[in-house]
Amino acid sequence: MPQLDTSTWFIMITSMFLTLFILLQLKISKYNYPHNAEIATKLDYKTSTPWMKKWTKIYLPLSLPQ
């Protein structure tokens, strides 16, 4: 039974990781990040429906009083 030749595995695995690292770096470098680290202002949304103004509890059918 012939032996499995594993002499090229190290080169293949390291070249794969290097290629993945380069591709990910190229993908990440396409994004535009802000230069200053300011906190974004939170927009205050107006609630126009009555069920959004208050907290409501959802009851399961078995937990209702009988």
Side-chain angles (χ1 to χ4, degrees):
M1 189 169 195
Q3 291 280 331
L4 181 62
D5 184 22
T6 60
S7 62
T8 60
W9 284 16
F10 179 75
I11 296 169
M12 289 297 294
I13 291 172
T14 52
S15 64
M16 179 194 65
F17 280 123
L18 182 65
T19 307
L20 284 175
F21 177 76
I22 291 171
L23 287 175
L24 286 174
Q25 291 296 317
L26 288 173
K27 271 190 163 297
I28 291 173
S29 67
K30 290 181 182 178
Y31 291 107
N32 291 326
Y33 294 106
H35 293 289
N36 53 0
E38 294 178 358
I39 298 174
T41 58
K42 184 178 176 185
L43 299 174
D44 191 17
Y45 296 106
K46 303 291 181 190
T47 56
S48 60
T49 54
W51 57 83
M52 293 175 76
K53 292 181 183 176
K54 63 180 181 178
W55 180 83
T56 58
K57 186 174 181 182
I58 299 172
Y59 292 95
L60 294 174
L62 296 175
S63 67
L64 293 172
Q66 295 181 4

